[in-house]
Amino acid sequence: MNGIPSGKARGEMVASSTFNGRFALVIGGSGGIGRAVSLELVRRGARLLVHGRQAEERMKTSSPASLSTFDYAFDSPRNFIQALDARLADMGAEPDIVICAFGPFSEKPLEMVSAEEWEYLTMANLALPGAVASHFLAGMKARGYGRFLFFGGTRTDAIRPFRKTAAYAAAKTGLGVLAKSIAASAGDRNVAAVVVCPGPTDTEYLNAETRARHASLTATGSLLPAKLIAHASLDLIDADPCIASGAIVALDGGFDPESRR
């Protein structure tokens, strides 16, 4: 996909970034926090493959020539990886950096979550990042460089009870095990992994009612800008060596909904 160079509109490229010239895959990178991550990676000089539904259409207004797209509606980790491999083969590339920003959300009391919903939420939020990590880890180790960034859910940086999002939160909490396992098993080959758990963030996926409700639970009464989350998250892995590897980081400003009730 050819894009329109517009570097100055997004700010000058960060010449000192360790991502400069490297190839990044952003799963769920065409919207929300993922889109902000994609644009920040471009600013840092990376080449990108951005996944998402209608990714080409959604990214065309802000896409430089260094950004390509992968349109795919997730159904299973196995099928996703098969389709992704075909796209990467066309490009003749394998990612140095993998960002998993994809993660379907569900807000229901535990007793209302069906078996089908459990399966989908677990597959999309945990099995997909895990399968992608397993798929690319050997190549990263062989090349002596790799970075994974996984996005958890709000307050999934530790095991906590959830009244309305237990299925989603259970899957997202498991990402901590994945990141720490990558850090422990591949750190000697310069492969690092970090989980970021953002607070309530302002994205196009929120309707007016949800946006107002989530904002009312924050200390400031406002949602976090996706661009700010993207910048801070990438800073954690944009280092060589990556001393944050294995970390589970809450970027939520101390969000505590119970204290706001």
Side-chain angles (χ1 to χ4, degrees):
M1 170 183 165
N2 292 324
I4 302 171
S6 53
K8 289 187 178 180
R10 289 186 300 273
E12 296 297 331
M13 184 179 295
V14 181
S16 61
S17 173
T18 65
F19 297 156
N20 192 13
R22 295 196 181 274
F23 180 52
L25 166 66
V26 188
I27 300 172
S30 63
I33 293 174
R35 178 184 173 86
V37 167
S38 296
L39 297 179
E40 178 62 19
L41 281 167
V42 168
R43 196 177 75 88
R44 298 186 188 211
R47 297 176 296 115
L48 270 71
L49 177 62
V50 174
H51 156 263
R53 283 189 179 184
Q54 301 176 328
E56 183 171 0
E57 179 68 21
R58 300 187 72 175
M59 298 300 294
K60 69 179 182 180
T61 61
S62 55
S63 298
S66 60
L67 188 151
S68 301
T69 56
F70 170 50
D71 291 11
Y72 189 85
F74 174 78
D75 52 357
S76 75
R78 179 187 302 178
N79 291 341
F80 180 92
I81 287 175
Q82 288 177 347
L84 175 60
D85 274 350
R87 183 70 177 94
L88 291 171
D90 289 340
M91 299 177 68
E94 189 167 317
D96 304 302
I97 304 157
V98 174
I99 316 289
C100 290
F102 177 71
F105 179 74
S106 177
E107 189 172 13
K108 287 183 177 180
L110 188 56
E111 64 270 21
M112 299 296 293
V113 183
S114 68
E116 291 77 13
E117 288 171 311
W118 266 106
E119 181 176 14
Y120 180 71
L121 289 169
T122 305
M123 287 289 184
N125 288 294
L126 181 57
L128 176 61
V132 168
S134 294
H135 191 62
F136 292 119
L137 187 58
M140 289 179 175
K141 290 172 70 174
R143 293 190 299 273
Y145 179 91
R147 297 291 182 269
F148 290 96
L149 176 61
F150 305 111
F151 280 94
T154 301
R155 303 185 78 235
T156 63
D157 55 311
I159 297 175
R160 291 189 172 93
F162 291 85
R163 295 181 183 277
K164 295 182 179 180
T165 60
Y168 167 83
K172 286 293 192 183
T173 302
L175 292 174
V177 176
L178 176 60
K180 288 184 179 294
S181 298
I182 293 170
S185 64
D188 62 339
R189 299 301 301 157
N190 196 21
V191 180
V194 171
V195 178
V196 167
C197 302
T201 305
D202 192 4
T203 74
E204 70 274 24
Y205 299 127
L206 303 181
N207 59 35
E209 186 275 331
T210 302
R211 182 175 283 108
R213 178 162 53 84
H214 286 185
S216 72
L217 296 173
T218 68
T220 61
S222 60
L223 299 176
L224 297 169
K227 183 177 180 179
L228 185 63
I229 294 294
H231 190 282
S233 299
L234 289 173
D235 279 350
L236 291 168
I237 60 169
D238 191 359
D240 196 0
C242 180
I243 61 173
S245 189
I248 306 169
V249 182
L251 296 181
D252 60 9
F255 178 65
D256 183 6
E258 295 303 320
S259 69
R260 311 297 298 175
R261 295 184 186 279

